Amino acid sequence: MADPKGGVYVHRLEARRIEASAAVVAESLDLLVNDDGEVLEFDIASEPTVNPPVADIRDVERICFVYRHGRRFGETAPSHVLCKRDDFPRDLVHLCSTGPGGLAAPCLALGGLQPLYERVGIEAVMERLRKFLRDAKTGTLTIDGWEPVPFGIDQQPCGGEVVPHFFQDHALAHLGDGYAMGAAINMEEENGRFVAVFPQVLAPQDMRDGLAFRNKDSKRRGIPWVFLWPKEIKFESEPIFSDWRTGAELLEGMRRIGVEQSFDAAIGELLSRGVDFNCFREPAGGKGLVVVLGVWRPEPIMREFFGYSDNPEARRLELRAFRVSQDLLKEIVALDTKVETIVGDYPGSPELYRWVAGVDAIPPVALIGVGAIGSAVFNHLARSGLDDAVVYDHDLMRPHNLTRHTADTSSLYKSKGDAASDLVHGLVREMSLRFEAIQRDVIEMSVDELAAAFKNRLVVDATADERVRLRIDELREKIDLTVVRTEMFHEGRLGVTFVAPPGAPSFADMMRTLFASASDDPAVAAWLEHEAMHPLGPDPLLAGFGCTSQTIHLPLHAIEQHASVATATILGDRTKAGIAINPVDERFRPTGSRWLPMPPFTTLVPATEPEWSVRISGLALERIAVARAEALPCETGGYLYGAWDPAARAITVTTATTLPPESTATPTALQLGPAGATVEERRLMLKTRGRIYLCGSWHSHPNGSASMSGRDYGTMMRHQARDAETLSPTLLVIAAGEETRAHLKLP
């Protein structure tokens, strides 16, 4: 026996903290050190209750903090906690399972004590201990739901994969059957023993074929699983599952649950069908079986536990799985059979990834382009629980792509869509994801074909191809789609993600709005300046003996930063149109992403050119309306900046200026001063590097309609004579009251 007060400093300090903790009996601490580790014993008082205690929790209880498996008193949390009293009530819930005759081991934390200790220290453990004693005394341990009995404190369980809700739902749906069977895989690995329990019920006559299917890798690893549950829903409130280590203890537990006859029937079925239970085990093989037991509880399993049934009635079935092992020449069911608890992980699946990622269900996706940023976005979405995707990419995976793509050499010279398929298959053991890779260029697909393929899907365009952008704009005019387009500019220093729900501006309009933001956004301005200074673009990449490809020098971590912002945008609110701008510095360090809202554009169709459209941003129209109201009763006006596209027969107006210097305005006439004379205009033209330019003028009519007057017509014709020199269209917008019209003349 060692006195913590006289020990090393960390012992003394921890002992002082425990002594100072509420309800601890002073001078009761004893630290025992042996070959297995350290044990700290102390007395702690339980809280008095108004009503008589529900359980036999004494006024003072002797507690043991046990430090084993690398844990050290004063430096870590206890490996487990024991109640020293032999007659401490064992019918409490929230007790860790121990071997027959072992001391009661309270479960104080669902995720273990060490994380609590690292955040708060030993006082967090003390607080949990006091709460356990209080709740046990008042009968409120299950107030938040039923906690599955934790596995044993001294047993090293088998790992593996188990799907709890499958067994719960099956038992409730087939209550009177009492048992079911299927196939599992027994894995003897260097790092431990693992069991994968496949969630598929097999008829007895199909068991041999089912096991053979699991043995197709030439090793006999397939073993049967048998699931047993009470045929009547009779709630059991006392702990039942223990650290059963032998067949005798397991059989006794089955009798306690009332499923021993169902077990006999199931084993008899298997033996009569020629199932021999043989499996690969070191060194000379052996026999194996998985037994899954269910017990009906008064309350559903706590909601904090992922993987259990969404049906609260089915969720009342508490489960425990065991691996049963036997020598090759012995019977699988015997008193000396070895029994180990299985603590299985939920298999890799979209629903698991969504829960861990904390994201909502992702709608079906059509991803166009699985290049560098496209593969990174797809990787993020797949690991966030994407379960329905169609991927379009006509390109092949080449060696230089591996620098920045989510792929490896096994994907070389496959289509990039197939590389994405490999990623998905590597994440989901049993394919529950609906995935299709299509090796086609969407540019070669008709709009009608795209409309049929993309209907009811979230479209993600990661191609950075201008032709694809134009095709999607054409497609959005035909059907309602939500489209997210993500690309990189400025040699990877600027990531941009456009969100376009139904009714949002076209991507052409959004791109020009991005250009116009260069007046206020240094990152956008730097990108446009760089492109103006480096017109030749990326460097050539040798292909064969000809320079037939181009690339930029960009590390994967820069791609991942932009892909992360794009993925966050995709998983966020897709009902609002806007642009996520993500600049990084010259060393690809993040400088902070920001959101540029995209107000709606208004489309005006000129009467003189009905095949053309004039699209004016909401901000420009608002500025025109405010300027008109402030100028009343006089006319006012300004210039329109944006861009025009003769192929699309469209003019996009992003910016409307107010009355320029040297203008004269009366209630019946307006003479605008020269364009480009204001700081705003000069800054806009300078920062946008020719991407945004003068494309027309506007003026107001204080009274009357927005039709052109004779004076307006004469002014427009003079402008057209000047514009004809550059084959530019001549645009005049007139605002009058609630009406705004566009008047257009082509050269």
Side-chain angles (χ1 to χ4, degrees):
M1 180 180 295
D3 181 359
K5 296 180 181 178
V8 297
Y9 178 69
V10 291
H11 288 179
R12 292 159 50 204
L13 188 60
E14 192 84 322
R16 177 67 61 85
R17 295 188 182 111
I18 294 174
E19 279 189 325
S21 187
V24 172
V25 178
E27 307 297 329
S28 67
L29 274 66
D30 280 325
L31 181 65
L32 294 86
V33 181
N34 54 41
D35 293 340
D36 294 330
E38 301 169 319
V39 178
L40 179 77
E41 295 187 5
F42 61 92
D43 294 332
I44 187 169
S46 62
E47 292 184 27
T49 59
V50 176
N51 297 317
V54 174
D56 181 21
I57 305 298
R58 308 286 171 81
D59 292 340
V60 176
E61 293 285 356
R62 188 71 173 172
I63 302 297
C64 300
F65 282 178
V66 182
Y67 296 83
R68 294 177 186 163
H69 316 298
R71 302 288 182 95
R72 294 180 299 276
F73 174 62
E75 300 177 40
T76 65
S79 54
H80 54 274
V81 177
L82 298 175
C83 297
K84 185 77 177 287
R85 179 160 59 93
D86 290 336
D87 59 349
F88 190 89
R90 300 302 299 271
D91 59 350
L92 297 174
V93 297
H94 292 229
L95 289 179
C96 298
S97 57
T98 56
L103 294 175
C107 178
L108 304 184
L110 299 179
L113 294 173
Q114 186 60 25
L116 293 174
Y117 186 89
E118 291 173 357
R119 292 197 298 270
V120 183
I122 195 65
E123 181 56 29
V125 181
M126 300 302 298
E127 175 60 28
R128 290 299 180 96
L129 175 61
R130 289 189 293 268
K131 184 178 186 300
F132 172 83
L133 294 174
R134 181 192 69 218
D135 291 348
K137 207 170 185 179
T138 58
T140 56
L141 283 171
T142 60
I143 194 170
D144 296 324
W146 195 272
E147 178 188 352
V149 176
F151 61 87
I153 60 176
D154 288 321
Q155 186 185 50
Q156 184 62 38
C158 289
E161 296 180 355
V162 181
V163 181
H165 66 77
F166 165 78
F167 294 100
Q168 292 177 319
D169 291 335
H170 182 84
L172 185 63
H174 303 84
L175 184 61
D177 291 355
Y179 73 88
M181 59 185 65
I185 285 183
N186 178 75
M187 295 170 280
E188 300 274 347
E189 307 288 353
E190 292 183 2
N191 296 327
R193 305 173 307 282
F194 303 91
V195 177
V197 182
F198 296 102
Q200 179 186 18
V201 172
L202 298 177
Q205 63 269 23
D206 297 329
M207 283 296 296
R208 289 192 66 181
D209 290 341
L211 294 172
F213 176 79
R214 300 300 176 184
N215 286 327
K216 60 186 178 182
D217 61 355
S218 76
K219 283 187 176 182
R220 292 207 60 174
R221 305 199 301 175
I223 60 175
W225 60 254
V226 174
F227 172 38
L228 309 162
W229 64 92
K231 295 181 180 181
E232 296 181 0
I233 298 182
K234 181 180 179 181
F235 297 130
E236 180 64 64
S237 60
E238 294 187 3
I240 290 180
F241 300 122
S242 297
D243 280 355
W244 298 324
R245 313 291 179 94
T246 67
E249 294 173 351
L250 178 61
L251 291 170
E252 177 60 31
M254 290 183 188
R255 280 191 286 272
R256 173 71 175 82
I257 298 171
V259 296
E260 70 278 10
Q261 293 182 0
S262 294
F263 181 65
D264 290 341
I267 296 299
E269 282 273 19
L270 291 170
L271 291 172
S272 66
R273 303 287 181 176
V275 175
D276 57 17
F277 302 94
N278 291 354
C279 66
F280 172 79
R281 284 175 55 211
E282 295 288 358
K287 295 181 178 180
L289 169 68
V290 171
V291 176
V292 182
L293 299 178
V295 175
W296 297 106
R297 295 302 192 183
E299 295 92 19
I301 301 296
M302 290 177 172
R303 296 302 303 177
E304 289 83 352
F305 287 90
F306 169 79
Y308 289 98
S309 176
D310 290 331
N311 184 331
E313 294 304 313
R315 200 178 177 94
R316 292 175 183 267
L317 190 70
E318 183 185 355
L319 301 167
R320 178 62 71 92
F322 301 91
R323 186 178 82 153
V324 177
S325 303
Q326 182 59 285
D327 294 338
L328 186 62
L329 301 179
K330 293 184 178 181
E331 297 295 329
I332 186 64
V333 182
L335 298 181
D336 65 344
T337 300
K338 182 181 179 181
V339 174
E340 301 163 278
T341 302
I342 298 172
V343 179
D345 295 310
Y346 196 91
S349 61
E351 58 267 26
L352 173 66
Y353 302 149
R354 285 194 293 270
W355 186 82
V356 174
V359 302
D360 296 329
I362 304 171
V365 166
L367 174 63
I368 309 172
V370 203
I373 195 166
S375 68
V377 167
F378 181 76
N379 181 38
H380 292 321
L381 291 177
R383 295 175 191 275
S384 297
L386 176 68
D387 60 8
D388 189 336
V390 178
V391 172
Y392 294 83
D393 200 306
H394 66 285
D395 203 1
L396 300 180
M397 187 69 67
R398 301 183 184 277
H400 71 278
N401 295 137
L402 300 184
T403 305
R404 299 190 290 250
H405 286 58
T406 307
D408 54 34
T409 54
S410 66
S411 298
L412 284 177
Y413 303 110
K414 292 182 179 180
S415 74
K416 291 180 178 178
D418 288 340
S421 177
D422 291 343
L423 169 67
V424 171
H425 282 83
L427 289 174
V428 181
R429 183 185 295 277
E430 298 287 323
M431 274 303 293
S432 57
L433 185 147
R434 295 175 292 279
F435 178 84
E436 184 179 6
I438 300 176
Q439 192 175 358
R440 290 187 65 183
D441 189 341
V442 298
I443 297 301
E444 300 173 354
M445 300 172 65
S446 69
V447 172
D448 289 339
E449 189 177 5
L450 289 174
F454 292 171
K455 185 178 181 181
N456 300 323
R457 288 186 176 273
L458 167 64
V459 178
V460 178
D461 174 18
T463 61
D465 189 320
E466 184 72 5
R467 298 172 303 161
V468 175
R469 179 184 66 74
L470 295 173
R471 177 57 57 86
I472 289 179
D473 275 344
E474 186 180 359
L475 177 63
R476 290 181 62 224
E477 293 179 359
K478 187 176 184 67
I479 62 173
D480 284 341
L481 284 176
T482 295
V483 184
V484 178
R485 178 177 169 90
T486 184
E487 49 191 314
M488 296 179 297
F489 304 110
H490 199 174
E491 296 189 339
R493 288 178 56 183
L494 180 65
V496 179
T497 301
F498 304 88
V499 179
S506 70
F507 280 119
D509 296 337
M510 296 177 81
M511 179 65 79
R512 284 157 186 160
T513 302
L514 179 66
F515 295 155
S517 72
S519 290
D520 304 309
D521 194 307
V524 177
W527 156 47
L528 298 180
E529 179 183 7
H530 175 84
E531 292 211 344
M533 299 295 292
H534 301 85
L536 296 181
D539 292 334
L541 175 72
L542 183 67
F545 293 105
C547 299
T548 60
S549 182
Q550 289 183 314
T551 190
I552 57 174
H553 307 289
L554 188 65
L556 176 60
H557 72 84
I559 300 286
E560 290 284 357
Q561 291 183 71
H562 297 312
S564 294
V565 172
T567 305
T569 305
I570 293 169
L571 296 177
D573 185 358
R574 299 180 297 273
T575 64
K576 294 182 174 62
I579 306 172
I581 302 172
N582 185 54
V584 297
D585 66 14
E586 67 281 356
R587 297 179 63 183
F588 304 114
R589 294 173 299 195
T591 60
S593 63
R594 47 193 172 270
W595 177 254
L596 178 64
M598 183 61 56
F601 274 60
T602 296
T603 299
L604 305 177
V605 178
T608 53
E609 299 292 344
E611 294 184 353
W612 277 67
S613 64
V614 178
R615 300 196 286 261
I616 306 180
S617 75
L619 293 177
L621 277 179
E622 181 181 357
R623 196 173 191 190
I624 289 173
V626 170
R628 177 186 177 277
E630 292 177 345
L632 291 175
C634 295
E635 292 188 6
T636 189
Y639 290 100
L640 303 174
Y641 286 83
W644 60 282
D645 184 344
R649 297 174 180 171
I651 299 176
T652 299
V653 175
T654 63
T655 307
T657 70
T658 53
L659 196 67
E662 303 180 23
S663 300
T664 58
T666 70
T668 57
L670 173 69
Q671 181 66 45
L672 290 178
T678 65
V679 172
E680 176 190 9
E681 293 171 273
R682 290 195 295 268
R683 180 178 178 81
L684 180 66
M685 290 185 288
L686 173 65
K687 293 295 184 180
T688 59
R689 301 286 172 170
R691 303 294 186 97
I692 297 297
Y693 43 83
L694 179 67
C695 59
S697 64
W698 74 272
H699 70 269
S700 65
H701 285 174
N703 299 298
S705 73
S707 300
M708 283 194 297
S709 65
R711 186 182 296 105
D712 296 333
Y713 183 80
T715 300
M716 189 170 186
M717 295 308 295
R718 288 194 299 272
H719 288 173
Q720 185 188 29
R722 182 195 61 202
D723 294 336
E725 299 176 4
T726 57
L727 295 180
S728 300
T730 302
L731 173 65
L732 174 63
V733 171
I734 299 176
E738 300 298 324
E739 183 184 24
T740 301
R741 290 188 189 179
H743 306 276
L744 182 66
K745 288 287 186 180
L746 297 180

